[in-house]
Amino acid sequence: MNDSTPAVVTRSNRGQWENHVEGHPELSQSFSSKEEAVDAGRGVADELGVHHVVQDSEPTGAITDEQE
């Protein structure tokens, strides 16, 4: 595996946890808890045979929508 190989990335996004799968947007999902997201991300990464990366961040305590 090299630096250009896609990975499953679990990260915080506006109060939710999401799994982002580069090149496979249909596999990307959102979760209310980090634990759920990490478990699901690990499973998707195993299925695809790619790395799973967890980007840690401080919890905000609220789910928010961006205002335009």
Side-chain angles (χ1 to χ4, degrees):
M1 181 180 266
N2 59 42
D3 289 338
S4 64
T5 303
V8 177
V9 179
T10 301
R11 61 187 175 204
S12 178
N13 183 11
R14 294 182 292 152
Q16 290 187 316
W17 284 89
E18 67 179 12
N19 288 325
H20 174 76
V21 185
E22 186 68 37
H24 298 277
E26 71 280 3
L27 298 177
S28 298
Q29 298 176 294
S30 295
F31 299 88
S32 58
S33 77
K34 180 180 179 180
E35 293 78 19
E36 287 179 297
V38 169
D39 287 344
R42 186 178 302 120
V44 172
D46 288 346
E47 287 179 28
L48 296 175
V50 299
H51 283 290
H52 178 224
V53 178
V54 178
Q55 294 179 344
D56 285 318
S57 67
E58 293 298 317
T60 63
I63 297 173
T64 59
D65 292 324
E66 280 187 35
Q67 300 295 320
E68 293 189 33

